[in-house]
Amino acid sequence: MTPPKNIDDFMRFGRHSLLVAIMLEIVMISDCGNLLYMIFGGAVPTIEGCEEFPANVTAGWSQEKFCHAYHSRNEFANTTCSPIIKPEFFSVNVEFELLCDDTAHVKQSTSIQMIGYLVGSMFWGQISDLYGRKKPMVATLILNGIIGCVSAFIPNLMSFTILRVFVSLFFTGHLVIAMVYFCEIFPTKHRLWLAFVLNWSPNFIVVAVIAWLCGDWRVFSVAVNVICFAAAGLMCFCIESPHFLIRSGKVDEAISALRYMYAVDGAELDEKELEAMISHEQKKLELIPKERFSFPHLFCTWKLCGYTAAVFLSYFSTSIVSYALLFNMEDIGGSIYMNTIAMGVFRLVINLCSAAADLKLPWLGRKKAHKFFCFYSIATLLIALVADRIGVEDAWAVVIRYMLLSTASMVCQMFAIVSVVCNEVFPTPVRNLAYAMSQVSESAGAALGPQLFGLRAFGTWVPLAVMLACVIGDLTTFHFCIPETKDLPLADHMPEGENRMGPFRKTSKIINSATTSGYSSPNHKLSIHSTSSIAA
């Protein structure tokens, strides 16, 4: 007997998907622009001279000597320095005259801004699980657009930091919701390659070009936030997630959403199969006790504990390595524009190769791809660590610079993999909560990343060693805790009450295999009747 179809079987890749993809790309540009904003908005200008000294006197001065003279100007009359600066970008450092040691205030501002990222990560997933994907998405886009544009007109660093916290709060909202919506709208076959294409890699280049064209932190702020209004408008023409609607008991709305999607695609919807699927889903929902889920339920079984720990650590390690390199480009050397473009090109090439490999190589699953990126990052960080310990010539320093940029690009591929895996292993009732949790770990890494190179006070090798330890930890936990999920349907049910631990354990109705088939993937081991082994 042919098993009944599930919701994923009705999701199509057509014109509606194209509309969703365009909307998500605009969201990605804005998100990428806002998260990379302080690379340009907090860019440290180069001091080229002092007004009090002839150019031939200061010709050989290092930045450290200029800074010593700059900070000593009120103490020693013979070493005053009114700096002549060469800003690559008219940043807040330039406008508010935060040079040399005072740039630490801007680094602190960058970390404080991540508070909004952290807070937003903790509750936007819950909001989305209660009210759907569409309405919260539109609301966060509009609020992000308004506050982001207003932040371009403030007079000092404190006001700037406060408003940027709220920008981070709201852009985290549509960042969290967008990825879950992505996985619930696009068919299983197309998820990972689309995740490699529809992500920040090409947008690194776009954002760098936008920053170069703007040249000023105020104009740049308007540019990356005003496009949120366009994304909100497009989202109004996209459907609500059928996964969410059916899970919420809004069957009529789910049917209307699917009919609308098929009408946009110009495809014929088999009403009999749709009716059979809806009937099947309703029977399963009737057998499941009504229960409200929250963050603690991510730890209600040992298997979910493993998923949660692995995803949390993977996001944290990826984030801290990525943002440590992003927000400390002055320690890497080179132009901020060229470094950002180089990272974008690295990431784009890798993404396109990864997307093609995912489509053409059935054996290349999520775990194998994750291992490849981890091993590459470990190798390059080890080389950079050894080079730091033995000392390298200037020519080799350029090679190490590009190796570190490629490492940041490779590490970021894991964002795409882990975000897809996170949405594939966690069931629908806690999927947004799980992704929100992952964003909490990412925001923690993003807050710590800008400060990581401050550990150079204990040795220039220490930041590299910390990043290396993070990647090795990620590789280990992901390998042992995460199952292979490629080509498997999304898990829609939580584990039954008797399969849970401690306070989560409760008696629930027995669901036979005919009823649960195709709904909670056996490979996820979330069905009470599942006995199949996890793929290595």
Side-chain angles (χ1 to χ4, degrees), residues 100-395:
C100 298
D101 291 349
D102 294 334
T103 59
H105 298 307
V106 182
K107 294 290 184 186
Q108 291 168 1
S109 171
T110 301
S111 292
I112 291 170
Q113 290 172 37
M114 293 302 169
I115 292 174
Y117 196 9
L118 180 64
V119 174
S121 298
M122 290 190 288
F123 77 89
W124 283 117
Q126 185 81 59
I127 294 294
S128 179
D129 281 335
L130 291 174
Y131 301 104
R133 311 335 184 193
K134 187 172 180 178
K135 291 179 182 178
M137 183 84 160
V138 172
T140 54
L141 283 166
I142 291 173
L143 290 168
N144 183 173
I146 293 171
I147 299 174
C149 290
V150 170
S151 71
F153 300 96
I154 48 80
N156 54 58
L157 183 63
M158 180 179 291
S159 303
F160 169 79
T161 302
I162 292 170
L163 282 181
R164 288 294 305 174
V165 167
F166 284 98
V167 170
S168 298
L169 175 68
F170 291 115
F171 95 71
T172 303
H174 51 76
L175 178 65
V176 169
I177 299 167
M179 193 60 218
V180 175
Y181 186 72
F182 171 97
C183 282
E184 293 181 342
I185 288 295
F186 291 122
T188 304
K189 178 182 178 181
H190 298 281
R191 280 184 203 134
L192 190 58
W193 78 263
L194 278 169
F196 280 126
V197 174
L198 280 176
N199 65 26
W200 290 6
S201 301
N203 295 317
F204 266 60
I205 303 170
V206 174
V207 168
V209 171
I210 292 174
W212 178 74
L213 291 173
C214 293
D216 180 283
W217 68 272
R218 296 182 184 273
V219 180
F220 185 43
S221 182
V222 173
V224 296
N225 288 295
V226 74
I227 58 176
C228 288
F229 300 117
L234 288 176
M235 186 64 186
C236 292
F237 294 96
C238 299
I239 65 171
E240 177 59 271
S241 164
H243 281 274
F244 166 78
L245 292 172
I246 291 177
R247 173 69 194 177
S248 302
K250 300 177 180 179
V251 175
D252 291 340
E253 292 182 40
I255 293 172
S256 297
L258 287 169
R259 286 173 177 166
Y260 174 80
M261 181 180 69
Y262 274 72
V264 171
D265 288 350
E268 184 178 350
L269 177 61
D270 190 321
E271 295 285 347
K272 288 185 178 180
E273 288 192 342
L274 175 61
E275 183 179 346
M277 184 272 288
I278 293 294
S279 175
H280 181 66
E281 302 297 335
Q282 285 181 309
K283 288 178 182 177
K284 287 184 287 188
L285 288 173
E286 289 170 1
L287 291 171
I288 298 173
K290 299 300 180 183
E291 187 175 2
R292 189 177 292 275
F293 298 100
S294 57
F295 274 105
H297 285 89
L298 297 176
F299 304 90
C300 69
T301 69
W302 285 114
K303 190 62 63 178
L304 285 177
C305 283
Y307 296 169
T308 303
V311 170
F312 188 97
L313 182 58
S314 189
Y315 262 101
F316 179 79
S317 65
T318 302
S319 179
I320 199 168
V321 173
S322 177
Y323 296 123
L325 295 172
L326 279 175
F327 292 126
N328 291 281
M329 283 194 182
E330 65 270 20
D331 291 297
I332 299 176
S335 162
I336 54 173
Y337 298 114
M338 293 310 299
N339 284 348
T340 305
I341 289 173
M343 289 182 66
V345 171
F346 281 139
R347 291 179 60 165
L348 180 58
V349 170
I350 298 165
N351 281 355
L352 292 176
C353 292
S354 300
D358 182 64
L359 277 176
K360 300 296 184 182
L361 304 175
W363 55 267
L364 184 61
R366 311 324 191 202
K367 294 184 71 172
K368 287 186 175 67
H370 181 270
K371 286 177 185 176
F372 171 78
F373 295 127
C374 281
F375 282 133
Y376 179 91
S377 301
I378 289 170
T380 54
L381 286 170
L382 273 174
I383 292 171
L385 185 59
V386 171
D388 177 83
R389 298 308 297 152
I390 65 175
V392 294
E393 300 295 331
D394 289 343

Side-chain angles (χ1 to χ4, degrees), residues 464-479:
L464 294 170
V466 171
M467 290 188 280
L468 183 61
C470 287
V471 177
I472 292 173
D474 176 17
L475 173 65
T476 304
T477 55
F478 200 89
H479 173 73

Side-chain angles (χ1 to χ4, degrees), residues 7-8 125 129 133 180 183-184 241 243-244 247 285 288 291 293-295 297-301 303-305 307-308 311 419-437 482-483 485 489-496 500 518-528:
I7 307 171
D8 282 335
D129 281 335
R133 311 335 184 193
V180 175
C183 282
E184 293 181 342
S241 164
H243 281 274
F244 166 78
R247 173 69 194 177
L285 288 173
I288 298 173
E291 187 175 2
F293 298 100
S294 57
F295 274 105
H297 285 89
L298 297 176
F299 304 90
C300 69
T301 69
K303 190 62 63 178
L304 285 177
C305 283
Y307 296 169
T308 303
V311 170
S419 61
V420 169
V421 168
C422 178
N423 285 288
E424 289 179 336
V425 297
F426 286 100
T428 299
V430 294
R431 186 170 296 129
N432 252 320
L433 289 172
Y435 192 67
M437 175 277 304
I482 297 293
T485 58
L490 294 179
D492 277 326
H493 282 239
M494 286 292 287
E496 292 304 308
R500 300 180 194 174
Y519 202 73
S520 186
S521 172
N523 293 67
H524 296 145
K525 289 191 175 180
L526 294 178
S527 305
I528 62 172

Side-chain angles (χ1 to χ4, degrees), residues 54 66 89 95 98 110 208 246 257 270 272 317-318 366 369 390 396 403 409 414 456 506 521 526 534:
F66 278 122
F89 183 89
E95 181 164 337
L98 298 169
T110 301
I246 291 177
D270 190 321
K272 288 185 178 180
S317 65
T318 302
R366 311 324 191 202
I390 65 175
W396 283 104
M403 283 182 59
S409 302
M414 291 187 283
R456 283 189 164 188
K506 58 178 67 175
S521 172
L526 294 178
I534 300 293

